[in-house]
Short mmCIF file of all heavy atoms in Angstrom, two decimals:
data_model
loop_
_atom_site.label_atom_id
_atom_site.label_comp_id
_atom_site.label_asym_id
_atom_site.label_seq_id
_atom_site.Cartn_x
_atom_site.Cartn_y
_atom_site.Cartn_z
N SER A 1 -6.53 9.89 1.81
CA SER A 1 -5.82 11.02 1.23
C SER A 1 -5.68 10.82 -0.27
O SER A 1 -5.76 9.71 -0.77
CB SER A 1 -4.43 11.13 1.82
OG SER A 1 -4.50 11.42 3.19
N SER A 2 -5.48 11.88 -0.97
CA SER A 2 -5.24 11.78 -2.41
C SER A 2 -3.85 12.33 -2.71
O SER A 2 -3.33 13.17 -1.99
CB SER A 2 -6.31 12.55 -3.18
OG SER A 2 -6.28 13.91 -2.84
N LEU A 3 -3.28 11.85 -3.80
CA LEU A 3 -1.95 12.29 -4.21
C LEU A 3 -2.04 13.02 -5.54
O LEU A 3 -2.61 12.49 -6.49
CB LEU A 3 -1.02 11.08 -4.39
CG LEU A 3 -0.64 10.32 -3.14
CD1 LEU A 3 0.13 9.06 -3.51
CD2 LEU A 3 0.19 11.18 -2.22
N PRO A 4 -1.49 14.23 -5.62
CA PRO A 4 -1.45 14.91 -6.92
C PRO A 4 -0.42 14.22 -7.83
O PRO A 4 0.41 13.45 -7.35
CB PRO A 4 -1.02 16.32 -6.56
CG PRO A 4 -0.30 16.20 -5.27
CD PRO A 4 -0.91 15.02 -4.56
N PRO A 5 -0.48 14.48 -9.14
CA PRO A 5 0.53 13.90 -10.04
C PRO A 5 1.94 14.26 -9.57
O PRO A 5 2.18 15.35 -9.06
CB PRO A 5 0.22 14.55 -11.39
CG PRO A 5 -1.22 14.94 -11.30
CD PRO A 5 -1.44 15.30 -9.85
N GLY A 6 2.86 13.34 -9.72
CA GLY A 6 4.23 13.58 -9.32
C GLY A 6 5.02 12.28 -9.27
O GLY A 6 4.54 11.25 -9.70
N GLN A 7 6.20 12.35 -8.70
CA GLN A 7 7.06 11.18 -8.56
C GLN A 7 7.11 10.80 -7.09
O GLN A 7 7.39 11.63 -6.24
CB GLN A 7 8.48 11.50 -9.06
CG GLN A 7 8.53 11.80 -10.53
CD GLN A 7 9.94 12.16 -10.97
OE1 GLN A 7 10.81 12.45 -10.14
NE2 GLN A 7 10.18 12.14 -12.25
N TYR A 8 6.82 9.53 -6.81
CA TYR A 8 6.75 9.06 -5.44
C TYR A 8 7.45 7.71 -5.30
O TYR A 8 7.54 6.94 -6.25
CB TYR A 8 5.29 8.88 -5.00
CG TYR A 8 4.48 10.15 -5.07
CD1 TYR A 8 3.67 10.42 -6.16
CD2 TYR A 8 4.53 11.08 -4.05
CE1 TYR A 8 2.92 11.58 -6.22
CE2 TYR A 8 3.79 12.25 -4.10
CZ TYR A 8 2.98 12.49 -5.20
OH TYR A 8 2.26 13.64 -5.25
N GLY A 9 7.90 7.44 -4.10
CA GLY A 9 8.38 6.12 -3.72
C GLY A 9 7.48 5.63 -2.60
O GLY A 9 6.90 6.43 -1.87
N PHE A 10 7.32 4.32 -2.47
CA PHE A 10 6.46 3.80 -1.41
C PHE A 10 6.99 2.47 -0.91
O PHE A 10 7.79 1.82 -1.57
CB PHE A 10 5.01 3.64 -1.91
CG PHE A 10 4.85 2.61 -2.99
CD1 PHE A 10 4.57 1.30 -2.68
CD2 PHE A 10 4.98 2.97 -4.32
CE1 PHE A 10 4.42 0.35 -3.67
CE2 PHE A 10 4.83 2.03 -5.32
CZ PHE A 10 4.55 0.72 -4.99
N GLY A 11 6.54 2.09 0.28
CA GLY A 11 6.95 0.81 0.83
C GLY A 11 6.29 0.54 2.16
O GLY A 11 5.63 1.39 2.74
N PHE A 12 6.46 -0.69 2.62
CA PHE A 12 5.95 -1.12 3.92
C PHE A 12 7.11 -1.12 4.90
O PHE A 12 8.17 -1.65 4.59
CB PHE A 12 5.35 -2.52 3.80
CG PHE A 12 4.09 -2.58 2.98
CD1 PHE A 12 4.13 -2.73 1.61
CD2 PHE A 12 2.85 -2.48 3.59
CE1 PHE A 12 2.98 -2.79 0.86
CE2 PHE A 12 1.68 -2.53 2.85
CZ PHE A 12 1.75 -2.69 1.48
N THR A 13 6.92 -0.55 6.08
CA THR A 13 7.97 -0.49 7.08
C THR A 13 7.88 -1.68 8.03
O THR A 13 6.85 -2.36 8.10
CB THR A 13 7.89 0.80 7.90
OG1 THR A 13 6.67 0.82 8.63
CG2 THR A 13 7.97 2.03 7.01
N ALA A 14 8.93 -1.91 8.78
CA ALA A 14 8.97 -3.03 9.73
C ALA A 14 7.99 -2.83 10.88
O ALA A 14 7.53 -3.79 11.49
CB ALA A 14 10.38 -3.18 10.29
N ASP A 15 7.63 -1.58 11.18
CA ASP A 15 6.70 -1.33 12.29
C ASP A 15 5.24 -1.33 11.85
O ASP A 15 4.37 -0.87 12.57
CB ASP A 15 7.06 -0.04 13.02
CG ASP A 15 6.94 1.19 12.17
OD1 ASP A 15 6.76 1.07 10.94
OD2 ASP A 15 7.01 2.30 12.72
N GLY A 16 4.94 -1.87 10.66
CA GLY A 16 3.56 -2.05 10.23
C GLY A 16 2.89 -0.86 9.57
O GLY A 16 1.68 -0.72 9.64
N LYS A 17 3.66 -0.02 8.91
CA LYS A 17 3.07 1.14 8.23
C LYS A 17 3.37 1.07 6.74
O LYS A 17 4.34 0.48 6.31
CB LYS A 17 3.62 2.44 8.79
CG LYS A 17 3.19 2.70 10.21
CD LYS A 17 3.35 4.15 10.54
CE LYS A 17 2.88 4.34 11.97
NZ LYS A 17 1.81 5.25 12.08
N PHE A 18 2.49 1.70 5.96
CA PHE A 18 2.69 1.90 4.54
C PHE A 18 3.03 3.38 4.38
O PHE A 18 2.29 4.25 4.85
CB PHE A 18 1.41 1.56 3.77
CG PHE A 18 1.50 1.85 2.30
CD1 PHE A 18 2.18 0.99 1.46
CD2 PHE A 18 0.89 2.97 1.77
CE1 PHE A 18 2.26 1.25 0.10
CE2 PHE A 18 0.96 3.24 0.41
CZ PHE A 18 1.64 2.37 -0.42
N VAL A 19 4.14 3.69 3.73
CA VAL A 19 4.61 5.07 3.63
C VAL A 19 4.80 5.43 2.16
O VAL A 19 5.34 4.65 1.38
CB VAL A 19 5.96 5.25 4.38
CG1 VAL A 19 6.46 6.67 4.26
CG2 VAL A 19 5.81 4.85 5.83
N VAL A 20 4.35 6.63 1.80
CA VAL A 20 4.59 7.20 0.48
C VAL A 20 5.46 8.44 0.69
O VAL A 20 5.16 9.27 1.54
CB VAL A 20 3.28 7.60 -0.22
CG1 VAL A 20 3.56 8.26 -1.57
CG2 VAL A 20 2.38 6.38 -0.41
N MET A 21 6.55 8.55 -0.09
CA MET A 21 7.47 9.69 0.02
C MET A 21 7.63 10.35 -1.34
O MET A 21 7.54 9.67 -2.37
CB MET A 21 8.83 9.22 0.51
CG MET A 21 8.81 8.64 1.91
SD MET A 21 10.42 8.09 2.48
CE MET A 21 10.72 6.72 1.40
N ASP A 22 7.87 11.66 -1.33
CA ASP A 22 8.15 12.35 -2.58
C ASP A 22 9.65 12.24 -2.89
O ASP A 22 10.41 11.66 -2.11
CB ASP A 22 7.67 13.81 -2.55
CG ASP A 22 8.37 14.66 -1.51
OD1 ASP A 22 9.43 14.26 -0.97
OD2 ASP A 22 7.86 15.76 -1.23
N VAL A 23 10.06 12.80 -4.03
CA VAL A 23 11.47 12.66 -4.45
C VAL A 23 12.43 13.41 -3.54
O VAL A 23 13.62 13.18 -3.57
CB VAL A 23 11.69 13.08 -5.92
CG1 VAL A 23 10.99 12.13 -6.85
CG2 VAL A 23 11.24 14.50 -6.17
N GLY A 24 11.92 14.32 -2.70
CA GLY A 24 12.75 15.02 -1.73
C GLY A 24 12.87 14.27 -0.41
O GLY A 24 13.36 14.80 0.56
N ASN A 25 12.40 13.00 -0.38
CA ASN A 25 12.44 12.13 0.80
C ASN A 25 11.57 12.66 1.94
O ASN A 25 11.88 12.45 3.11
CB ASN A 25 13.88 11.90 1.26
CG ASN A 25 13.99 10.67 2.14
OD1 ASN A 25 13.23 9.72 1.99
ND2 ASN A 25 14.94 10.67 3.06
N ASN A 26 10.49 13.35 1.59
CA ASN A 26 9.52 13.83 2.58
C ASN A 26 8.33 12.87 2.62
O ASN A 26 7.80 12.50 1.58
CB ASN A 26 9.02 15.23 2.21
CG ASN A 26 10.15 16.21 2.10
OD1 ASN A 26 10.90 16.40 3.05
ND2 ASN A 26 10.29 16.84 0.95
N ASP A 27 7.91 12.48 3.82
CA ASP A 27 6.73 11.64 3.95
C ASP A 27 5.51 12.41 3.50
O ASP A 27 5.24 13.51 3.99
CB ASP A 27 6.54 11.17 5.39
CG ASP A 27 7.55 10.13 5.82
OD1 ASP A 27 8.33 9.67 4.97
OD2 ASP A 27 7.56 9.76 7.01
N VAL A 28 4.77 11.85 2.55
CA VAL A 28 3.56 12.47 2.03
C VAL A 28 2.33 11.79 2.62
O VAL A 28 1.33 12.43 2.89
CB VAL A 28 3.52 12.37 0.49
CG1 VAL A 28 2.25 12.93 -0.08
CG2 VAL A 28 4.73 13.06 -0.12
N LEU A 29 2.43 10.48 2.86
CA LEU A 29 1.31 9.70 3.36
C LEU A 29 1.85 8.56 4.21
O LEU A 29 2.84 7.93 3.86
CB LEU A 29 0.52 9.13 2.17
CG LEU A 29 -0.62 8.19 2.47
CD1 LEU A 29 -1.85 9.01 2.85
CD2 LEU A 29 -0.94 7.35 1.26
N SER A 30 1.21 8.32 5.33
CA SER A 30 1.58 7.20 6.20
C SER A 30 0.30 6.60 6.76
O SER A 30 -0.55 7.32 7.29
CB SER A 30 2.47 7.70 7.34
OG SER A 30 2.80 6.63 8.20
N GLU A 31 0.15 5.30 6.62
CA GLU A 31 -1.06 4.62 7.05
C GLU A 31 -0.69 3.25 7.59
O GLU A 31 0.25 2.61 7.11
CB GLU A 31 -2.02 4.47 5.85
CG GLU A 31 -3.33 3.82 6.16
CD GLU A 31 -4.22 4.68 7.05
OE1 GLU A 31 -4.16 5.92 6.95
OE2 GLU A 31 -4.98 4.11 7.84
N ALA A 32 -1.42 2.79 8.59
CA ALA A 32 -1.17 1.45 9.15
C ALA A 32 -1.53 0.40 8.12
O ALA A 32 -2.57 0.48 7.47
CB ALA A 32 -2.00 1.26 10.41
N SER A 33 -0.65 -0.58 7.93
CA SER A 33 -0.93 -1.69 7.02
C SER A 33 -1.57 -2.82 7.81
O SER A 33 -1.60 -2.81 9.03
CB SER A 33 0.36 -2.16 6.34
OG SER A 33 1.24 -2.71 7.28
N GLN A 34 -2.09 -3.79 7.08
CA GLN A 34 -2.69 -4.96 7.69
C GLN A 34 -1.93 -6.19 7.24
O GLN A 34 -1.23 -6.16 6.23
CB GLN A 34 -4.16 -5.06 7.30
CG GLN A 34 -4.89 -3.79 7.68
CD GLN A 34 -6.37 -4.01 7.80
OE1 GLN A 34 -6.85 -5.11 7.98
NE2 GLN A 34 -7.09 -2.92 7.71
N THR A 35 -2.07 -7.28 7.98
CA THR A 35 -1.41 -8.53 7.63
C THR A 35 -2.46 -9.58 7.31
O THR A 35 -3.42 -9.74 8.06
CB THR A 35 -0.52 -9.02 8.79
OG1 THR A 35 0.45 -8.00 9.07
CG2 THR A 35 0.22 -10.29 8.42
N GLU A 36 -2.28 -10.28 6.21
CA GLU A 36 -3.18 -11.33 5.77
C GLU A 36 -2.68 -12.66 6.31
O GLU A 36 -1.88 -13.35 5.68
CB GLU A 36 -3.26 -11.36 4.24
CG GLU A 36 -4.24 -12.32 3.66
CD GLU A 36 -5.67 -11.82 3.79
OE1 GLU A 36 -5.91 -10.63 3.54
OE2 GLU A 36 -6.53 -12.63 4.15
N ALA A 37 -3.11 -13.02 7.51
CA ALA A 37 -2.63 -14.24 8.18
C ALA A 37 -3.05 -15.50 7.43
O ALA A 37 -2.35 -16.51 7.45
CB ALA A 37 -3.14 -14.28 9.60
N ALA A 38 -4.19 -15.46 6.74
CA ALA A 38 -4.70 -16.64 6.04
C ALA A 38 -3.97 -16.90 4.72
O ALA A 38 -4.15 -17.96 4.12
CB ALA A 38 -6.19 -16.49 5.77
N LEU A 39 -3.14 -15.97 4.28
CA LEU A 39 -2.40 -16.14 3.03
C LEU A 39 -1.34 -17.21 3.23
O LEU A 39 -0.47 -17.07 4.09
CB LEU A 39 -1.77 -14.81 2.64
CG LEU A 39 -1.26 -14.64 1.23
CD1 LEU A 39 -2.38 -14.83 0.22
CD2 LEU A 39 -0.68 -13.26 1.07
N ALA A 40 -1.42 -18.29 2.45
CA ALA A 40 -0.52 -19.43 2.63
C ALA A 40 0.94 -19.07 2.34
O ALA A 40 1.84 -19.47 3.07
CB ALA A 40 -0.96 -20.59 1.75
N HIS A 41 1.17 -18.34 1.27
CA HIS A 41 2.53 -17.98 0.87
C HIS A 41 2.61 -16.47 0.69
O HIS A 41 1.70 -15.86 0.14
CB HIS A 41 2.92 -18.66 -0.44
CG HIS A 41 2.86 -20.14 -0.38
ND1 HIS A 41 3.82 -20.91 0.28
CD2 HIS A 41 1.96 -21.03 -0.84
CE1 HIS A 41 3.51 -22.18 0.18
NE2 HIS A 41 2.37 -22.29 -0.49
N ALA A 42 3.69 -15.89 1.12
CA ALA A 42 3.91 -14.47 0.90
C ALA A 42 4.01 -14.23 -0.61
O ALA A 42 4.52 -15.07 -1.34
CB ALA A 42 5.18 -14.02 1.60
N VAL A 43 3.51 -13.09 -1.07
CA VAL A 43 3.53 -12.77 -2.50
C VAL A 43 4.42 -11.55 -2.74
O VAL A 43 4.60 -10.72 -1.86
CB VAL A 43 2.11 -12.48 -3.02
CG1 VAL A 43 1.23 -13.70 -2.93
CG2 VAL A 43 1.47 -11.32 -2.28
N PRO A 44 4.99 -11.46 -3.96
CA PRO A 44 5.73 -10.23 -4.28
C PRO A 44 4.72 -9.10 -4.44
O PRO A 44 3.52 -9.28 -4.24
CB PRO A 44 6.41 -10.57 -5.59
CG PRO A 44 5.61 -11.66 -6.19
CD PRO A 44 5.01 -12.41 -5.04
N LEU A 45 5.15 -7.95 -4.81
CA LEU A 45 4.28 -6.80 -5.01
C LEU A 45 3.15 -7.19 -5.95
O LEU A 45 3.38 -7.65 -7.07
CB LEU A 45 5.07 -5.63 -5.57
CG LEU A 45 4.37 -4.28 -5.58
CD1 LEU A 45 4.02 -3.85 -4.16
CD2 LEU A 45 5.26 -3.25 -6.23
N LYS A 46 1.90 -7.02 -5.50
CA LYS A 46 0.75 -7.49 -6.26
C LYS A 46 -0.44 -6.60 -5.97
O LYS A 46 -0.68 -6.22 -4.82
CB LYS A 46 0.45 -8.93 -5.84
CG LYS A 46 -0.68 -9.59 -6.55
CD LYS A 46 -0.80 -11.03 -6.06
CE LYS A 46 -1.90 -11.77 -6.75
NZ LYS A 46 -2.03 -13.14 -6.27
N LEU A 47 -1.21 -6.24 -6.99
CA LEU A 47 -2.41 -5.43 -6.86
C LEU A 47 -3.61 -6.30 -7.21
O LEU A 47 -3.67 -6.87 -8.29
CB LEU A 47 -2.33 -4.23 -7.81
CG LEU A 47 -3.34 -3.13 -7.64
CD1 LEU A 47 -3.25 -2.49 -6.26
CD2 LEU A 47 -3.15 -2.06 -8.70
N VAL A 48 -4.58 -6.42 -6.28
CA VAL A 48 -5.73 -7.31 -6.45
C VAL A 48 -7.01 -6.49 -6.32
O VAL A 48 -7.16 -5.71 -5.37
CB VAL A 48 -5.71 -8.42 -5.37
CG1 VAL A 48 -6.92 -9.31 -5.48
CG2 VAL A 48 -4.44 -9.23 -5.45
N GLU A 49 -7.93 -6.68 -7.27
CA GLU A 49 -9.22 -6.00 -7.19
C GLU A 49 -10.01 -6.55 -6.02
O GLU A 49 -10.05 -7.75 -5.79
CB GLU A 49 -9.99 -6.18 -8.49
CG GLU A 49 -11.22 -5.32 -8.57
CD GLU A 49 -11.90 -5.36 -9.91
OE1 GLU A 49 -11.44 -6.07 -10.81
OE2 GLU A 49 -12.92 -4.68 -10.06
N ASP A 50 -10.64 -5.64 -5.27
CA ASP A 50 -11.39 -6.04 -4.07
C ASP A 50 -12.67 -5.20 -3.98
O ASP A 50 -12.67 -4.16 -3.33
CB ASP A 50 -10.53 -5.86 -2.83
CG ASP A 50 -11.22 -6.28 -1.56
OD1 ASP A 50 -11.91 -7.32 -1.56
OD2 ASP A 50 -11.10 -5.57 -0.54
N GLY A 51 -13.73 -5.64 -4.63
CA GLY A 51 -14.98 -4.88 -4.60
C GLY A 51 -14.85 -3.54 -5.27
O GLY A 51 -14.56 -3.45 -6.45
N LYS A 52 -15.00 -2.46 -4.51
CA LYS A 52 -14.93 -1.11 -5.06
C LYS A 52 -13.52 -0.53 -5.05
O LYS A 52 -13.31 0.61 -5.43
CB LYS A 52 -15.85 -0.18 -4.28
CG LYS A 52 -17.30 -0.53 -4.40
CD LYS A 52 -18.15 0.45 -3.62
CE LYS A 52 -19.61 0.07 -3.75
NZ LYS A 52 -20.46 0.99 -2.99
N GLY A 53 -12.55 -1.29 -4.60
CA GLY A 53 -11.18 -0.80 -4.52
C GLY A 53 -10.18 -1.87 -4.87
O GLY A 53 -10.48 -2.83 -5.58
N TYR A 54 -8.99 -1.73 -4.34
CA TYR A 54 -7.88 -2.66 -4.59
C TYR A 54 -7.12 -2.92 -3.31
O TYR A 54 -7.14 -2.10 -2.39
CB TYR A 54 -6.92 -2.08 -5.64
CG TYR A 54 -7.57 -1.85 -6.97
CD1 TYR A 54 -8.18 -0.64 -7.27
CD2 TYR A 54 -7.58 -2.85 -7.93
CE1 TYR A 54 -8.79 -0.42 -8.49
CE2 TYR A 54 -8.19 -2.65 -9.16
CZ TYR A 54 -8.79 -1.44 -9.43
OH TYR A 54 -9.40 -1.23 -10.64
N LYS A 55 -6.43 -4.04 -3.26
CA LYS A 55 -5.49 -4.33 -2.19
C LYS A 55 -4.10 -4.41 -2.81
O LYS A 55 -3.89 -5.11 -3.79
CB LYS A 55 -5.80 -5.68 -1.52
CG LYS A 55 -7.00 -5.64 -0.60
CD LYS A 55 -7.17 -6.99 0.09
CE LYS A 55 -8.33 -6.97 1.05
NZ LYS A 55 -8.52 -8.27 1.70
N LEU A 56 -3.17 -3.65 -2.23
CA LEU A 56 -1.78 -3.69 -2.66
C LEU A 56 -1.04 -4.56 -1.66
O LEU A 56 -0.94 -4.22 -0.49
CB LEU A 56 -1.19 -2.28 -2.68
CG LEU A 56 0.30 -2.19 -3.02
CD1 LEU A 56 0.55 -2.67 -4.45
CD2 LEU A 56 0.79 -0.76 -2.85
N TYR A 57 -0.56 -5.72 -2.13
CA TYR A 57 0.15 -6.68 -1.29
C TYR A 57 1.66 -6.56 -1.49
O TYR A 57 2.13 -6.36 -2.60
CB TYR A 57 -0.22 -8.12 -1.66
CG TYR A 57 -1.55 -8.59 -1.16
CD1 TYR A 57 -2.69 -8.47 -1.95
CD2 TYR A 57 -1.68 -9.19 0.08
CE1 TYR A 57 -3.92 -8.93 -1.50
CE2 TYR A 57 -2.90 -9.64 0.55
CZ TYR A 57 -4.02 -9.51 -0.26
OH TYR A 57 -5.22 -9.96 0.18
N ALA A 58 2.39 -6.75 -0.42
CA ALA A 58 3.84 -6.92 -0.44
C ALA A 58 4.13 -7.93 0.66
O ALA A 58 4.02 -7.61 1.84
CB ALA A 58 4.58 -5.63 -0.20
N GLY A 59 4.43 -9.15 0.27
CA GLY A 59 4.55 -10.22 1.26
C GLY A 59 3.17 -10.55 1.77
O GLY A 59 2.24 -10.74 1.00
N LYS A 60 2.97 -10.56 3.07
CA LYS A 60 1.65 -10.79 3.66
C LYS A 60 1.01 -9.49 4.14
O LYS A 60 -0.08 -9.48 4.65
CB LYS A 60 1.74 -11.79 4.82
CG LYS A 60 2.08 -13.20 4.36
CD LYS A 60 1.94 -14.19 5.49
CE LYS A 60 2.16 -15.59 4.97
NZ LYS A 60 1.81 -16.60 5.96
N LYS A 61 1.72 -8.37 3.95
CA LYS A 61 1.19 -7.07 4.34
C LYS A 61 0.40 -6.48 3.18
O LYS A 61 0.73 -6.71 2.02
CB LYS A 61 2.31 -6.11 4.73
CG LYS A 61 3.05 -6.54 5.97
CD LYS A 61 4.13 -5.55 6.31
CE LYS A 61 4.89 -6.00 7.54
NZ LYS A 61 5.96 -5.07 7.88
N TRP A 62 -0.67 -5.73 3.50
CA TRP A 62 -1.45 -5.10 2.46
C TRP A 62 -2.06 -3.79 2.95
O TRP A 62 -2.16 -3.54 4.12
CB TRP A 62 -2.54 -6.02 1.94
CG TRP A 62 -3.60 -6.39 2.93
CD1 TRP A 62 -3.56 -7.42 3.83
CD2 TRP A 62 -4.84 -5.72 3.15
NE1 TRP A 62 -4.70 -7.43 4.59
CE2 TRP A 62 -5.52 -6.40 4.19
CE3 TRP A 62 -5.47 -4.62 2.57
CZ2 TRP A 62 -6.77 -6.02 4.65
CZ3 TRP A 62 -6.72 -4.24 3.04
CH2 TRP A 62 -7.34 -4.94 4.06
N ILE A 63 -2.46 -2.98 1.96
CA ILE A 63 -3.16 -1.72 2.24
C ILE A 63 -4.27 -1.60 1.20
O ILE A 63 -4.11 -2.03 0.06
CB ILE A 63 -2.20 -0.52 2.17
CG1 ILE A 63 -2.90 0.77 2.53
CG2 ILE A 63 -1.58 -0.35 0.84
CD1 ILE A 63 -2.44 1.35 3.81
N GLY A 64 -5.42 -1.05 1.62
CA GLY A 64 -6.53 -0.86 0.71
C GLY A 64 -6.39 0.46 -0.06
O GLY A 64 -5.99 1.46 0.51
N LEU A 65 -6.72 0.42 -1.36
CA LEU A 65 -6.65 1.61 -2.22
C LEU A 65 -7.99 1.78 -2.92
O LEU A 65 -8.62 0.79 -3.29
CB LEU A 65 -5.56 1.44 -3.28
CG LEU A 65 -4.15 1.17 -2.80
CD1 LEU A 65 -3.25 0.82 -3.98
CD2 LEU A 65 -3.61 2.37 -2.07
N LYS A 66 -8.40 3.02 -3.12
CA LYS A 66 -9.62 3.32 -3.86
C LYS A 66 -9.29 4.37 -4.91
O LYS A 66 -8.50 5.27 -4.67
CB LYS A 66 -10.71 3.86 -2.95
CG LYS A 66 -11.23 2.84 -1.98
CD LYS A 66 -12.35 3.42 -1.15
CE LYS A 66 -12.83 2.39 -0.14
NZ LYS A 66 -13.86 2.93 0.73
N THR A 67 -9.92 4.25 -6.08
CA THR A 67 -9.74 5.24 -7.13
C THR A 67 -10.93 6.18 -7.16
O THR A 67 -12.03 5.82 -6.75
CB THR A 67 -9.59 4.57 -8.51
OG1 THR A 67 -10.75 3.80 -8.77
CG2 THR A 67 -8.37 3.67 -8.55
N GLU A 68 -10.71 7.39 -7.63
CA GLU A 68 -11.80 8.36 -7.74
C GLU A 68 -11.88 8.88 -9.14
O GLU A 68 -10.95 8.95 -9.85
CB GLU A 68 -11.56 9.54 -6.79
CG GLU A 68 -11.68 9.13 -5.36
CD GLU A 68 -11.54 10.31 -4.40
OE1 GLU A 68 -11.47 11.47 -4.87
OE2 GLU A 68 -11.50 10.08 -3.22
#
């Protein structure tokens, strides 16, 4: 999915999803996150380049992002 310009909040939920919400607290995007079991230590919020896209990490959970 793509997001138009605007103000958004995002986070990882306890049930394994990545959620993006608008300022009206409406879910705009929801996607299953993945867990990096091989990661030795949990990391704070971190964006890592990964080939043609990026991985957004929060702890050991991550989601893949691509730019257009």
